[in-house]
Amino acid sequence: MPNFGLEEIMRTGASAFQGDISGAENPAPETADEFAQHVIETICHASVTPAIGRRTFERCMRALSVGSTVRVGFRHPAKAEAIDRVWRERERLFDEYTASPDKLRFLATLPWIGPVTKHSLARRLGIHAAHGERAVA
């Protein structure tokens, strides 16, 4: 089973993924699992309160850790399918992301990542230094 830090997430209550990260320095993901976690977290937080997003993210990561679909703990079928797809295809998606010359444009091609959420995801991935700045490769 891949090690994607689920134990740490569960131990700290997902604190590694909480809070306002808009001004924080975020290192670029080094593995496909880290990349997928950031994408999944962004999807979980889309259009919900931070508390609901955190709980949903934790449920999703628990389901994935046992090889299940996230639909067992997530009521939104389209988001669940997007998360399952990201997790299934994480190696390919991470390879394409790292090879992409325009990372922000690539993020917009991911399932359930739209014109607004791509900026949130970009900050999580460390490619946005501040609001309104152009993403760096």
Side-chain angles (χ1 to χ4, degrees):
M1 181 179 328
N3 178 8
F4 50 86
L6 179 62
E7 296 81 16
E8 183 66 21
I9 292 168
M10 300 312 296
R11 185 171 36 257
T12 62
S15 64
F17 297 104
Q18 294 177 10
D20 179 14
I21 62 168
S22 60
E25 278 296 316
N26 295 309
E30 296 180 8
T31 67
D33 289 348
E34 288 176 357
F35 175 76
Q37 285 179 42
H38 287 299
V39 176
I40 291 166
E41 182 188 20
T42 302
I43 294 169
C44 289
H45 280 266
S47 302
V48 299
T49 67
I52 290 172
R54 281 190 300 274
R55 284 193 303 270
T56 303
F57 176 68
E58 291 169 2
R59 281 195 313 265
C60 288
M61 296 312 295
R62 274 195 298 271
L64 294 170
S65 74
V66 296
S68 180
T69 174
V70 298
R71 287 182 188 224
V72 299
F74 200 7
R75 293 185 186 147
H76 195 297
K79 283 186 176 184
E81 175 55 35
I83 291 168
D84 284 339
R85 182 173 159 212
V86 166
W87 190 251
R88 243 186 350 261
E89 300 176 12
R90 66 189 177 276
E91 294 290 340
R92 179 186 62 79
L93 293 172
F94 181 63
D95 290 343
E96 289 176 7
Y97 166 76
T98 56
S100 176
D102 187 344
K103 296 198 181 331
L104 192 60
R105 182 172 297 191
F106 174 79
L107 295 180
T109 69
L110 296 172
W112 207 263
I113 302 296
V116 174
T117 54
K118 74 178 178 182
H119 294 286
S120 174
L121 178 55
R123 284 188 300 275
R124 291 178 199 279
L125 295 171
I127 60 174
H128 261 270
H131 181 69
E133 285 188 17
R134 184 170 167 82
V136 295

